[in-house]
Amino acid sequence: MFDHAKTFERAQAACASRECWSPFPEMPKLYPDADIAAPAGLAAFEAMLGQPFALDLPGVTGWGGEEISPYTQAPLGITYPQADPDTLFAAAKAAIPSWAAADIDTRLMLLMEGLDRLYRDHLFTLVNAVMHTAGQSYNMAYAGSGVNALDRGIEALVYAEQAMRAVAPSARWARRFGPSEIALEKTYRLIPRGVAVCFTCASFATWNAWPSMLASLATGNAVIIKPHPASVLPMAITVRVFRALLAEQGFDPNLVTLCLDTVAEPLGKVLIKHQDCAIVDFTGSARFGQWVEANAHPALAFTETSGCNTVVLAGADDLDAAIRALATTMCMFSAQMCTSPQNVYLPPEIDTPAGPVPRDVVAGKLADAIAALTQDPRKASMILATVQAEPTLGLIGWVREQAQTRGRVLLDSRAYPHPDFPDARTATPLLVQLGKDARDLYAEERFGPIGFVIDCDSPDDALAQATTDARNNGGITGFLYARDETFITQAEDAYAQAGAQLTINLTGAMPLNFAAAYSDYHVTGLNGAGNATLTTLGFVAPRFAVTQSRRPVRNDA
């Protein structure tokens, strides 16, 4: 258990300095009493299988659930209460006044306690829930969807506190008007926008959802969680934890509710267009994200959608190290992360200390490095994990067919035998080489273990192609390997204008696309990959408004 005030104060300092910090152990084996907590979490998860999930919600009309484990390809069998959207909105709206009336510190410390309970009491249950819904590996579920997501939640609270504290509660104002001096007492109030709807994605439910829901709750709003039907359990656990905590502290638990839908009968548009929907947080496909941005009004929309993430490999002091780093990151979670590199733009020759290396040699090295990472099933299971959704396998096949006639397949995809789950849905990366004329194939996100090597005319052409694709089609991250400092400066400017974060000449053990809470900004809002940044003041400040009242200063004041 943490001292919430001290932890929060330390998080404020980390956000200001952008240094490396976290209150949570970064690896499962470092978790206190991990030998007890880990098997207990697994047992708690297994006890949920095939059972109704106990969650008291208003307006329940039935039960449903369609989650399938990517590891066993069998249904989890967990059913969840389905609630009427109108009833959910009415209950959430009614819960806001007493919550908004609470002082800032009360709300912040209660939410810190909620995060602490997720960590202290449910982390390893969540790890297994994420594995068997999203398909992440054990370590990634712990680190990415567990403690790093908790960090992002605290980070959102830090910026919410900054935004709210920036508004003075009162002021005395005086000015002379002709012969008279007018003195006014002014009072300022923070008014929450209303009910927020938080959409979660199938592959990384908690990472975006926790900061989104906490940003809304901290600023006085209520939240309806709309989980992806394939990945409900992590957010159902979250909702249950926060509802219990709110009730325990004397607040209406309907500040946090869950709205279950199905793939066949989605409720997303119904929720967004509801008259009481004031805020939408959406993580998911670019197609629906664009609809959200165009149709959410008058609700505020915060989106993170797909990214066409690019790599320019113009040169390297250690080419093999650069190739290894790139190959590892392209394999991580079978490239089912919004920050996974997809397109590698190569000039005819790559500059190295030993002299120029032909493009086809470099492309072959990349294919060989990926193949080496995926040959051993045990190692592959730790890096690749599983494929979350069956349609991804069809996409791999379609891209392969296209590449066979329009380019060449550098490395074919195959299923690998998972050492612990023989029925796991798996696929090693497909790597294809194409010309620039195949932009219809590579210039959008192809979600899953699919990579493209694109032939370019020169380093300048590679940079221009990469940044144009990021700007026009949405890019969250960009990666650059180069030796020429002038070219590096040019690339920094070009990627900044394209609105993509840039990593330069990084090799070593850290995944290229690792995003550190309190330090790395996630999404810029400057291209089609989304309009919201985790985490800045702009992510939280619009979630409340400022009203004021003023009156003449009383003579006895």
Side-chain angles (χ1 to χ4, degrees):
M1 181 182 297
F2 294 110
D3 181 320
H4 301 325
K6 288 184 178 179
T7 302
F8 189 76
E9 183 178 352
R10 184 64 185 85
Q12 290 174 306
C15 286
S17 68
R18 317 306 294 178
E19 65 188 297
C20 178
W21 174 79
S22 172
F24 307 111
E26 63 183 12
M27 298 175 62
K29 65 182 181 181
L30 300 178
Y31 185 92
D33 297 321
D35 56 335
I36 297 173
L42 175 60
F45 165 74
E46 291 176 338
M48 296 177 185
L49 300 178
Q51 301 296 321
F53 187 88
L55 184 62
D56 183 22
L57 294 174
V60 173
T61 59
W63 291 76
E66 52 189 46
E67 294 163 301
I68 295 175
S69 168
Y71 281 94
T72 65
Q73 299 201 57
L76 299 190
I78 304 173
T79 55
Y80 305 90
Q82 292 178 304
D84 171 64
D86 287 335
T87 305
L88 288 179
F89 273 105
K93 192 174 179 180
I96 291 174
S98 61
W99 176 245
D103 62 72
I104 293 172
D105 286 333
T106 296
R107 293 200 300 263
L108 290 174
M109 292 303 103
L110 184 149
L111 296 173
M112 287 289 290
E113 170 65 15
L115 292 173
D116 190 19
R117 291 186 182 187
L118 289 174
Y119 167 74
R120 185 179 71 240
D121 301 330
H122 302 279
L123 182 57
F124 286 97
T125 308
L126 286 161
V127 166
N128 287 280
V130 168
M131 284 182 64
H132 288 280
T133 55
Q136 295 175 27
S137 69
Y138 183 84
N139 285 342
M140 179 171 284
Y142 174 89
S145 294
V147 295
N148 192 246
L150 292 170
D151 277 324
R152 286 294 187 184
I154 296 174
E155 184 181 35
L157 295 181
V158 168
Y159 284 100
E161 191 268 350
Q162 285 186 23
M164 292 185 290
R165 298 284 191 211
V167 181
S170 62
R172 186 183 187 281
W173 182 91
R175 176 184 162 174
R176 198 158 194 85
F177 287 84
S180 303
E181 180 172 280
I182 303 298
L184 300 177
E185 294 176 340
K186 299 185 179 184
T187 301
Y188 307 98
R189 296 187 184 186
L190 308 182
I191 305 299
R193 291 282 178 181
V195 181
V197 177
C198 178
F199 288 75
T200 70
C201 67
S203 56
F204 258 95
T206 60
W207 202 87
N208 291 81
W210 286 349
S212 296
M213 66 177 285
L214 289 167
S216 288
L217 289 167
T219 49
N221 304 279
V223 180
I224 298 172
I225 299 294
K226 212 300 288 180
H228 191 287
S231 188
V232 178
L233 184 56
M235 294 314 299
I237 294 170
T238 301
V239 168
R240 187 162 67 182
V241 167
F242 276 88
R243 285 179 63 83
L245 174 60
L246 287 162
E248 175 188 307
Q249 297 299 315
F251 293 101
D252 190 330
N254 292 326
L255 286 161
V256 181
T257 55
L258 182 130
C259 185
L260 183 74
D261 65 358
T262 65
V263 172
E265 297 181 353
L267 289 173
K269 292 183 178 181
V270 173
L271 297 174
I272 290 169
K273 297 307 294 181
H274 195 280
Q275 63 180 1
D276 289 327
C277 178
I279 301 167
V280 177
D281 284 286
F282 174 80
T283 305
S285 71
R287 186 182 304 276
F288 193 68
Q290 290 166 359
W291 185 93
V292 171
E293 292 175 1
N295 293 276
H297 182 78
L300 298 175
F302 299 89
T303 64
E304 188 221 302
T305 59
S306 56
C308 181
N309 299 315
T310 60
V311 182
V312 175
L313 180 47
D317 288 330
D318 186 336
L319 181 60
D320 289 340
I323 291 292
R324 284 194 301 271
L326 183 55
T328 300
T329 306
M330 293 178 77
C331 288
M332 292 291 293
F333 187 29
S334 297
Q336 295 171 112
M337 293 182 281
C338 60
T339 54
S340 297
Q342 173 181 290
N343 297 345
V344 184
Y345 301 77
L346 296 181
E349 295 180 330
I350 285 71
D351 179 30
T352 75
V357 179
R359 170 171 52 218
D360 287 352
V361 172
V362 173
K365 282 178 173 286
L366 179 58
D368 290 344
I370 293 173
L373 287 169
T374 59
Q375 282 179 350
D376 177 61
R378 176 66 61 181
K379 188 174 183 179
S381 69
M382 296 173 64
I383 299 175
L384 295 171
T386 68
V387 173
Q388 198 280 326
E390 183 74 28
T392 300
L393 302 181
L395 178 61
I396 292 171
W398 179 80
V399 173
R400 178 195 296 117
E401 291 176 3
Q402 295 294 313
Q404 288 170 344
T405 58
R406 303 178 64 182
R408 65 177 180 134
V409 175
L410 296 168
L411 181 67
D412 204 355
S413 175
R414 59 176 176 79
Y416 78 88
H418 196 287
D420 300 318
F421 297 93
D423 295 322
R425 184 190 300 119
T426 64
T428 62
L430 171 71
L431 185 67
V432 304
Q433 188 170 9
L434 301 167
K436 292 185 295 182
D437 59 344
R439 292 189 72 257
D440 58 307
L441 264 182
Y442 67 76
E444 64 177 277
E445 184 183 56
R446 301 298 184 186
F447 191 73
I450 301 170
F452 300 96
V453 172
I454 297 108
D455 296 345
C456 299
D457 300 335
S458 66
D460 286 339
D461 182 47
L463 178 59
Q465 295 293 330
T467 52
T468 297
D469 288 340
R471 180 173 56 252
N472 293 345
N473 300 285
I476 295 175
T477 57
F479 308 91
L480 172 71
Y481 291 92
R483 301 180 68 214
D484 184 283
E485 287 297 330
T486 300
F487 183 74
I488 291 173
T489 298
Q490 179 185 347
E492 288 183 292
D493 291 341
Y495 270 101
Q497 292 303 312
Q501 317 291 17
L502 181 62
T503 299
I504 303 165
N505 289 340
L506 179 62
T507 60
M510 189 184 104
L512 301 180
N513 60 340
F514 177 76
Y518 316 108
S519 186
D520 289 319
Y521 295 109
H522 180 72
V523 183
T524 64
L526 294 175
N527 61 47
N531 67 12
T533 300
L534 292 182
T535 308
T536 63
L537 287 171
F539 184 66
V540 293
R543 297 171 192 261
F544 65 89
V546 180
T547 65
Q548 70 175 42
S549 60
R550 56 187 186 176
R551 60 187 298 176
V553 173
R554 292 168 295 179
N555 292 332
D556 59 348

